[in-house]
């Protein structure tokens, strides 16, 4: 983890060619050094943050006044930070009768601020939650007393989560979890707080900045989609080829529990929609045996999208995996106990994220969890079906080897496309495509579900989604088109997105032919794109 001094030094470096993102920081305590940390961390991610920093303790004034500098700045992201320290001070000033309603009253105030922003700006809001500070006025009994500050802080955090679910453009920066992970003593410097009104210790600022930048990166479409796992001494202890299935370490006894914990974590990622891939050196038949026969295995073959086990080098195997999945190397995470393999991947395929796995397996899961490798800003039912889709893709890749001609291969896939107007069921996935798709996204316009609903209901737009299936299974929703009528003779391509999973299937030509037909049906002779 970078310390604050390193991030501050980044401010002196050249940001030319970096992506520019405008964000506004609104806080009730000193935020100058947090701004520096965000800009410095942005450098490590090739982002040049243009930041508007509101005056100290001016959150409400900036948001309520629609003529404020905040709205003139027109940020893409607004970061709202209210400190627990200030909340407790306000809480102490209340009469007892009002203390038990503090969380309810405060969350309504927060929602009113979100609504005010949304009435004026089309931006995303990153709202800090509230670190738990127990004043021990009631001791542990405070968990049962409505007028205790710790009771209201915890209730407020729960209410914040529930409220944020109702807004697609609201994201929570979970500094409460950061404090739990690193400890209050590492987060808060009382001397700094008293002297300068800063509620974060200097070397804690990079951790907060990393969280903020992680949310922004993900909302901008840069996400990790695939976890590549080694086998021996990674998801089980021992070497399957030497020790045999009965002697590998896995299960509830001894060190085997550490490997089971890793498998459980990976299984949860798979159920969320992360693609699990096995890449290991061994004989495939031997490597698959635990997945099929070992009673303590948590991961099974139907959890794995692609199973690549041979004696070839892992560079070539990962290149093959990438060609089948058709995703970028920069969306892959590689986990392997071998420092040799890790360093090789870092050197030859530097876009791949390669965690420096600890020596002791008991530290594997705590370390990997702490990295927050799979940040997301959206989730839909389609995500949980991803494993099957990529298993089908592996079958297609094998089927393709039976043909010398790409046309013969495509004809034998028996492809069927579904095209229709946007509807309620598909809106979450449509919005997700606009937020995550980068390479095959004509204008890279990011839309929330509310945005898509407004477009769908407007007479100015023509919308279509595209789905595809073949003899092996469904690809799911793989393309969207939004056309905007400019005048009686012209339509503008507001959005054109195609999933990389169906390129070279003829689908891109099919989509554009459909655009032409839609324009013709509206009596238009001109299609405009940018």
């Amino acid at each position: 983890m970078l310390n604050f001094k390193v991030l501050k030094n980044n401010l002196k470096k050249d940001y030319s060619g970096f992506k520019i993102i405008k964000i506004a920081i609104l806080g009730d305590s000193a935020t100058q050094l947090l701004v520096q940390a965000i800009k410095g961390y942005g450098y490590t991610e090739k982002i040049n943050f243009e930041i508007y920093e509101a005056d100290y303790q001016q959150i409400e004034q900036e948001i309520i006044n629609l003529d404020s500098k905040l709205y003139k700045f027109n940020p893409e992201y607004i970061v709202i930070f209210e400190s627990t320290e200030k909340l407790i001070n306000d809480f102490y000033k209340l009469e007892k009768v009002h203390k038990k309603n503090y969380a309810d009253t405060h969350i309504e105030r927060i929602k009113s601020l979100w609504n005010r922003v949304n009435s004026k700006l089309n931006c995303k809001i990153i709202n800090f939650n509230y670190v738990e500070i127990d004043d021990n006025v009631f001791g542990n009994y405070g968990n049962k007393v409505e007028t205790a500050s710790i009771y209201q802080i915890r209730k407020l955090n729960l209410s914040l989560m529930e409220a944020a679910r109702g807004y697609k453009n609201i994201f929570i920066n979970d500094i409460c979890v950061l404090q739990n992970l690193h400890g209050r003593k590492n987060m808060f410097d009382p001397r700094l707080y008293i002297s300068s009104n800063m509620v974060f210790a200097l070397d804690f600022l990079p951790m907060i900045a990393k969280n903020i930048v992680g949310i922004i990166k993900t909302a901008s479409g840069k996400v990790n989609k695939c976890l590549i796992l080694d086998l021996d001494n990674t998801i089980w202890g021992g070497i399957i080829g030497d020790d045999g299935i009965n002697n590998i370490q896995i299960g509830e006894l001894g060190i085997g529990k550490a490997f089971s914990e890793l498998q459980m974590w990976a299984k949860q990622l798979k159920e969320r929609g992360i693609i699990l891939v096995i890449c290991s050196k061994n004989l495939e038949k031997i490597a698959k045996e635990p997945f099929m026969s070992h009673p303590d295995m948590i991961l099974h073959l139907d959890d794995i999208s692609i199973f690549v086990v041979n004696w070839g080098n892992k560079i070539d195997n990962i290149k093959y995996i990438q060609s089948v999945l058709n995703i970028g190397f920069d969306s892959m995470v590689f986990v392997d106990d071998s420092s040799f393999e890790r360093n090789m991947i870092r050197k030859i395929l530097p876009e791949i994220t390669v965690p420096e796995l600890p020596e002791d397996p008991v530290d594997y899961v705590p370390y990997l969890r702490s990295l927050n490798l799979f940040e997301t800003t959206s989730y839909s039912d389609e995500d949980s079906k991803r494993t099957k889709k990529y298993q089908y893709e592996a079958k297609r890749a094998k089927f393709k080897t039976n043909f010398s001609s790409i046309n013969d291969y495509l004809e034998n896939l028996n492809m069927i496309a579904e095209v229709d107007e946007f509807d309620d069921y598909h809106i979450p996935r449509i919005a997700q495509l606009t937020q995550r798709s980068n390479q095959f996204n004509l204008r890279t316009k990011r839309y929330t579900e509310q945005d898509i609903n407004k477009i769908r209901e407007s007479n100015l737009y023509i919308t279509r989604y595209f789905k595809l299936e073949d003899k092996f299974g469904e690809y799911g929703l793989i393309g969207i088109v939004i056309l905007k009528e400019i005048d009686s003779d012209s339509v503008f391509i507001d959005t054109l997105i195609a999933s990389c999973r169906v390129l070279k299937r003829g689908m891109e030509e099919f989509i554009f032919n459909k655009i032409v037909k839609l324009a013709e049906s509206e009596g238009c002779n001109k299609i405009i794109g940018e």
Side-chain angles (χ1 to χ4, degrees):
M1 175 61 69
L2 298 175
N3 61 36
F4 180 74
K5 186 177 180 180
V6 171
L7 293 190
K8 191 174 181 181
N9 289 338
N10 283 348
L11 301 181
K12 304 172 185 176
K13 297 179 180 178
D14 182 14
Y15 282 76
S16 59
F18 285 19
K19 182 176 183 179
I20 297 175
I21 295 179
K22 296 173 68 175
I23 65 174
I25 309 291
L26 281 61
D28 66 358
S29 58
T31 57
Q32 295 94 328
L33 297 184
L34 176 60
V35 167
Q36 292 187 38
I38 293 170
K39 286 188 70 69
Y41 206 92
Y43 182 86
T44 69
E45 299 294 339
K46 294 183 170 52
I47 301 173
N48 182 6
F49 284 113
E50 186 179 335
I51 298 179
Y52 167 69
E53 182 185 2
D55 291 338
Y56 164 72
Q57 215 164 355
Q58 296 292 303
I59 297 174
E60 285 187 280
Q61 291 86 335
E62 287 277 355
I63 292 176
I64 291 172
N65 179 12
L66 295 180
D67 294 320
S68 70
K69 292 179 181 178
L70 169 69
Y71 295 105
K72 292 174 183 175
F73 181 69
N74 192 23
E76 298 168 68
Y77 295 86
I78 295 177
V79 177
I80 299 176
F81 165 51
E82 294 182 312
S83 64
T84 306
E85 287 80 3
K86 292 292 175 63
L87 254 65
I88 288 180
N89 286 338
D90 291 342
F91 179 80
Y92 285 165
K93 296 172 185 176
L94 295 174
E95 297 293 332
K96 185 176 181 180
V97 67
H98 298 302
K99 285 183 177 179
K100 66 179 182 179
N101 297 318
Y102 181 77
D104 296 332
T105 303
H106 197 77
I107 200 64
E108 290 304 316
R109 170 185 161 274
I110 291 171
K111 287 163 65 177
S112 70
L113 295 177
W114 293 347
N115 292 335
R116 188 71 167 174
V117 169
N118 289 339
S119 71
K120 181 76 172 179
L121 297 176
N122 183 19
C123 71
K124 296 177 175 66
I125 299 172
I126 300 174
N127 211 113
F128 285 32
N129 63 3
Y130 303 92
V131 296
E132 295 183 0
I133 303 173
D134 191 354
D135 57 14
N136 276 317
V137 169
F138 289 91
N140 289 295
Y141 196 72
N143 288 283
K144 297 176 67 175
V145 180
E146 284 187 294
T147 55
S149 63
I150 190 65
Y151 185 101
Q152 291 298 319
I153 291 168
R154 287 175 172 159
K155 184 178 180 181
L156 180 56
N157 277 332
L158 177 59
S159 299
L160 186 69
M161 289 190 292
E162 291 176 342
R165 291 178 63 195
Y167 297 77
K168 294 298 180 181
N169 68 323
I170 305 294
F171 307 103
I172 296 175
N173 181 18
D174 199 343
I175 60 171
C176 197
V177 161
L178 289 180
Q179 176 173 282
N180 292 342
L181 185 63
H182 299 283
R184 177 70 179 166
K185 289 182 179 179
N186 293 317
M187 181 182 195
F188 180 74
D189 183 341
R191 290 176 179 81
L192 196 61
Y193 176 62
I194 295 299
S195 64
S196 60
N197 201 38
M198 277 189 59
V199 298
F200 299 126
L202 281 181
D203 281 339
F204 198 77
L205 291 173
M207 302 176 196
I208 299 169
K210 180 178 184 293
N211 257 22
I212 293 171
V213 175
I215 293 170
I216 293 173
K217 275 173 49 188
T218 305
S220 301
K222 189 174 181 182
V223 295
N224 286 329
K225 303 175 183 177
C226 174
L227 175 61
I228 303 173
L229 293 165
D230 179 44
L231 295 178
D232 294 335
N233 292 312
T234 300
I235 69 168
W236 58 59
I239 301 172
I240 185 65
D242 295 340
D243 301 328
I245 189 172
N246 294 325
N247 295 309
I248 58 172
Q249 295 165 312
I250 194 170
E252 289 298 310
L253 299 177
I255 196 62
K257 187 172 183 178
F259 297 103
S260 292
E261 292 279 336
L262 178 58
Q263 288 196 34
M264 281 190 279
W265 180 70
K267 181 98 167 183
Q268 292 304 303
L269 288 172
K270 173 256 177 181
E271 291 181 1
R272 199 208 89 182
I274 300 301
I275 307 161
L276 296 190
V277 172
I278 297 298
C279 182
S280 188
K281 291 181 178 178
N282 213 314
L283 293 174
E284 183 176 316
K285 182 180 178 181
I286 293 175
K288 283 185 174 179
E289 193 176 355
F291 290 87
M292 297 185 292
S293 304
H294 200 294
D296 292 323
M297 280 290 289
I298 293 159
L299 291 176
H300 300 98
L301 290 180
D302 59 3
D303 296 314
I304 311 301
S305 292
I306 303 179
F307 198 96
V308 181
V309 175
N310 53 44
W311 294 112
N313 71 75
K314 293 194 176 181
I315 299 295
D316 289 340
N317 284 337
I318 290 175
K319 287 180 177 178
Y320 166 76
I321 290 165
Q322 187 272 338
S323 70
V324 173
L325 296 177
N326 208 1
I327 61 175
F329 288 117
D330 62 353
S331 61
M332 294 177 166
V333 176
F334 175 74
V335 173
D336 195 310
D337 71 294
S338 167
S339 59
F340 172 82
E341 299 289 1
R342 293 196 300 266
N343 290 331
M344 184 67 70
I345 299 301
R346 290 191 188 105
K347 184 176 180 181
I348 307 299
L349 299 172
E351 304 99 321
I352 296 177
T353 300
V354 184
E356 188 59 20
L357 212 59
E359 291 278 339
D360 193 334
V362 301
D363 295 322
Y364 283 2
V365 171
Y367 171 70
L368 291 170
R369 284 175 175 167
S370 72
L371 298 179
N372 190 23
L373 295 165
F374 298 98
E375 180 72 72
T376 186
T377 55
S378 62
Y379 177 77
S380 72
D381 291 339
E382 286 281 325
D383 292 333
S384 59
K385 302 173 184 176
R386 191 168 286 138
T387 295
K388 279 293 181 189
K389 291 176 183 175
Y390 285 106
Q391 287 174 341
Y392 296 150
E393 199 59 37
K395 291 178 181 178
R396 291 182 188 105
K398 187 175 181 179
F399 181 65
K400 187 177 181 181
T401 62
N402 297 323
F403 302 92
S404 57
S405 160
I406 185 66
N407 287 333
D408 289 343
Y409 164 63
L410 293 178
E411 286 178 8
N412 281 275
L413 279 178
N414 303 329
M415 292 183 289
I416 300 173
E418 176 188 332
V419 187
D420 211 336
E421 297 178 14
F422 291 1
D423 57 27
D424 288 340
Y425 178 78
H426 290 97
I427 278 179
R429 174 62 176 154
I430 289 167
Q432 191 180 66
L433 268 180
T434 71
Q435 293 160 16
R436 290 187 177 183
S437 300
N438 293 313
Q439 190 171 3
F440 303 104
N441 186 340
L442 189 63
R443 297 180 68 226
T444 326
K445 294 285 288 182
R446 311 295 186 187
Y447 288 128
T448 65
E449 289 182 31
Q450 289 99 322
D451 295 330
I452 296 296
N453 261 319
K454 289 177 183 177
I455 288 170
R456 172 190 165 205
E457 293 169 359
S458 171
N459 293 326
L460 296 176
Y461 295 93
I462 304 167
T463 65
R464 292 293 186 274
Y465 69 78
F466 296 80
K467 300 175 80 171
L468 187 67
E469 64 176 283
D470 62 20
K471 67 187 295 178
F472 291 102
E474 295 183 359
Y475 290 87
L477 195 148
I478 47 76
I480 61 171
V481 167
I482 301 174
L483 304 178
K484 185 176 183 179
E485 295 188 46
I486 299 176
D487 52 44
S488 60
D489 192 52
S490 306
V491 294
F492 175 69
I493 304 174
D494 175 273
T495 299
L496 170 55
I497 299 174
S499 169
C500 58
R501 290 184 288 120
V502 294
L503 293 177
K504 300 181 182 178
R505 300 281 193 276
M507 197 66 192
E508 51 270 56
E509 290 90 349
F510 178 82
I511 291 174
F512 205 82
N513 287 341
K514 183 61 67 174
I515 291 174
V516 173
K517 290 179 180 178
L518 288 169
E520 288 177 341
S521 70
E522 295 296 318
C524 296
N525 296 308
K526 187 184 294 183
I527 299 170
I528 301 171
E530 67 175 20

